[in-house]
Amino acid sequence: MSTRLSALAASVALLTAFAVPAASASPTVSAAGPGSGAGAATVNLATNPGFELPSPDLADWGSIPGWNCTGGPAEAAVTTTAAHSGTSALTVTPANDDSTGECAQTVAVQPGTTYTASAWVRGAFVYLGATGTGQDVAPAWTETTSGGWQQLTTRFTTGPNAHSVRLYVHGWYQQGPFSVDDVRVDGPAPAPAVAAGSIPTTDKVVFFTVDDGWQRTPEAERFIADHHLPITAFPLPMPAGTDPDFFKRVTAVPGSSIQDHSVSHSDLSKLPLERQQVEICDARDAMTRLFGTAPVVFRPPFFAWNADTLQAAANCGIRTVLTADADYSWGASNIWHPGPLQPGDVILMHWTDTLATDLPRALAAADAAGLKPAGLIDYLR
């Protein structure tokens, strides 16, 4: 205990020297100025900022939409008592003396731009900060909120190569529970993602994409390996988490990658932007945890998308919202333009019990058109 208290004292001494003071109750917005995105609309980029959004179907039990908490559901929960606003807030109860109860999310940003992060907190020694900005940023913190709610605010300007930051809130060792509500990351949003059904190229290539992941067969895996096929996989988080090694094996060919297909496979065009953002960002986080690389492509379920989808995808760091212009799933051979396959065509398939026969049929169609499968991600860089 004395070690933790000494660390706390050292932290307080260090932060006191340069910490941003807690903000007043007035709302905060981004500071304008050079490199601040002046002239662009200021919006809140945080995902599920008020902890009001429901978990998508097929999400991990106990998950908090938009947020990753180190202690999981054993520490972090959405509560409906005494929220700062609305009906819900996040309450974190560190499970042991070695936990600060950190909860964090990745926020897509523009380089060379000023943002203001803020949150209303309640408890002792609660911290709000951001990493990955391209420079050191002092967290905002409070020694105690004396039982009420207090707003913490910190500002940062992103570096020239910063396209995302990690926003975090946490308590301190042995300081008890804390609550968080009404989180904001105020600044200009990233430009909307680009919608595409094919990839512009004159190279004689096509792109094999395979969705969902519920039915994984050794026959399909063997065909991919034997023919050295680059595959772009769009698995849902639940089947991907059930058998991550399978997806690592079937995307082992250079040019292959694992991308984003939402959490629940819902028609996103029927959801508001903030719920679309949860679906896309949470799937992005799951793929990143499982496979070590953040997706940059989103495949909308049912190919259903709207303008909100493009912005929600961009807010999750996605550059391309990709459909397809040919479907070889479940025994089909559909090309949605006149004539045979063309350079740059994206071919849709699914991880099903027919994939082992769908793949050779798609490959034969590509061969007949003088085309070869290529790595999609290589053509998007």
Side-chain angles (χ1 to χ4, degrees), residues 12-377:
V12 170
L14 177 63
L15 289 169
T16 300
F18 61 95
V20 177
S24 66
S26 59
T28 57
V29 296
S30 296
S36 68
T42 295
V43 297
N44 183 9
L45 294 172
T47 303
N48 193 18
F51 306 96
E52 305 284 341
L53 299 180
S55 292
D57 293 339
L58 305 181
D60 293 338
W61 180 85
S63 65
I64 297 172
W67 293 86
N68 296 294
C69 299
T70 55
E75 291 190 348
V78 173
T79 56
T80 56
T81 57
H84 175 257
S85 70
T87 60
S88 302
L90 172 69
T91 297
V92 181
T93 304
N96 54 59
D97 291 348
D98 293 322
S99 174
T100 63
E102 183 181 81
C103 291
Q105 65 174 257
T106 300
V107 180
V109 295
Q110 295 184 24
T113 303
T114 298
Y115 292 86
T116 300
S118 63
W120 288 87
V121 302
R122 185 173 59 193
F125 290 98
V126 188
Y127 296 74
L128 167 75
T131 59
T133 64
Q135 59 181 315
D136 292 334
V137 178
W141 64 283
T142 181
E143 184 173 354
T144 178
T145 65
S146 301
W149 288 95
Q150 179 180 330
Q151 191 182 39
L152 301 180
T153 300
T154 186
R155 292 178 177 83
F156 57 87
T157 299
T158 53
N161 299 313
H163 294 277
S164 67
V165 300
R166 182 176 180 272
L167 178 74
Y168 66 84
V169 291
H170 65 73
W172 198 257
Y173 306 103
Q174 304 174 26
Q175 298 303 303
F178 64 92
S179 297
V180 184
D181 202 1
D182 296 328
V183 180
R184 300 191 65 87
V185 179
D186 286 312
V194 175
S198 61
I199 306 302
T201 180
T202 57
D203 292 351
K204 293 183 177 299
V205 297
V206 292
F207 306 100
F208 284 10
T209 66
V210 192
D211 287 9
D212 297 352
W214 295 111
Q215 294 175 286
R216 303 170 296 276
T217 68
E219 294 82 6
E221 179 183 345
R222 186 160 51 248
F223 187 89
I224 291 168
D226 289 348
H227 291 79
H228 205 61
L229 292 178
I231 296 293
T232 303
F234 292 92
L236 300 171
M238 188 170 285
T242 300
D243 195 359
D245 287 343
F246 172 86
F247 292 100
K248 292 176 183 178
R249 293 194 302 270
V250 296
T251 57
V253 174
S256 299
S257 66
I258 298 175
Q259 302 296 332
D260 192 323
H261 195 36
S262 83
V263 173
S264 70
H265 206 279
S266 298
D267 180 346
L268 297 194
S269 68
K270 297 179 179 178
L271 299 178
L273 188 151
E274 58 268 21
R275 289 188 61 184
Q276 294 195 45
Q277 189 164 321
V278 164
E279 287 272 1
I280 300 170
C281 285
D282 278 6
R284 171 207 62 192
D285 292 345
M287 297 303 104
T288 304
R289 286 194 303 271
L290 289 168
F291 305 111
T293 302
V296 295
V297 184
F298 173 62
R299 165 65 57 74
F302 314 111
F303 290 179
W305 60 273
N306 56 22
D308 283 347
T309 311
L310 301 183
Q311 189 60 62
N315 293 352
C316 298
I318 299 294
R319 300 197 302 263
T320 305
V321 173
L322 184 71
T323 55
D325 43 21
D327 180 11
Y328 279 72
S329 304
W330 293 292
S333 299
N334 299 320
I335 301 173
W336 297 319
H337 58 66
L341 291 172
Q342 298 175 0
D345 276 354
V346 175
I347 299 173
L348 170 69
M349 286 173 276
H350 288 78
W351 299 106
T352 67
D353 57 3
T354 68
L355 183 58
T357 56
D358 295 336
L359 283 164
R361 194 173 62 260
L363 186 58
D367 286 343
L371 306 171
K372 299 294 183 184
L376 174 71
I377 201 70

